[in-house]
Amino acid sequence: MRTAGPAAVSELDVRVTNADGSALTPHFTLTTGQGMSHWWKVTRGPATLPAHASAVYRLRPPGPVFHVPRRPGTRIRLRVFTASPDTLSSMDVRLPGER
């Protein structure tokens, strides 16, 4: 993760593993609550991830940075969607320096 200050994410690298038997086209977003940001742009990584393969994706936010609310208990979730088959995967993301 690259930050542009204590509460602004400018880039994010993630390793994605496709455990499914078919190729998947992932779409990424970050959330800090019930809503979600616009799709993040993939700047590195395959558009389609083959079956049973892994790849590292470099992601950039839809704007210059993704602002993270700096209040105790803020949960940042990476959400990965695919359209066919319909899937949603999620994981927590921590800013540098967080426990």
Side-chain angles (χ1 to χ4, degrees):
M1 178 181 298
R2 276 162 282 305
T3 58
V9 177
S10 59
E11 262 185 347
L12 183 63
D13 288 347
V14 296
R15 175 170 290 283
V16 177
T17 300
N18 177 1
D20 194 64
S22 59
L24 300 174
T25 303
H27 303 279
F28 303 87
T29 188
L30 285 184
T31 64
T32 58
Q34 290 184 342
M36 67 181 204
S37 69
H38 293 281
W39 300 117
W40 283 48
K41 181 180 178 181
V42 174
T43 61
R44 185 181 305 158
T48 300
L49 188 58
H52 306 294
S54 293
V56 174
Y57 286 82
R58 175 159 293 161
L59 309 174
R60 294 201 46 99
V65 296
F66 177 75
H67 294 282
V68 178
R70 295 301 283 187
R71 57 184 182 273
T74 297
R75 185 177 187 185
I76 306 166
R77 303 274 292 163
L78 172 66
R79 305 218 184 245
V80 185
F81 297 86
T82 64
S84 180
D86 291 336
T87 65
L88 166 61
S89 299
S90 300
M91 68 174 288
D92 286 335
V93 175
R94 297 189 192 282
L95 290 174
E98 287 186 344
R99 295 179 171 214

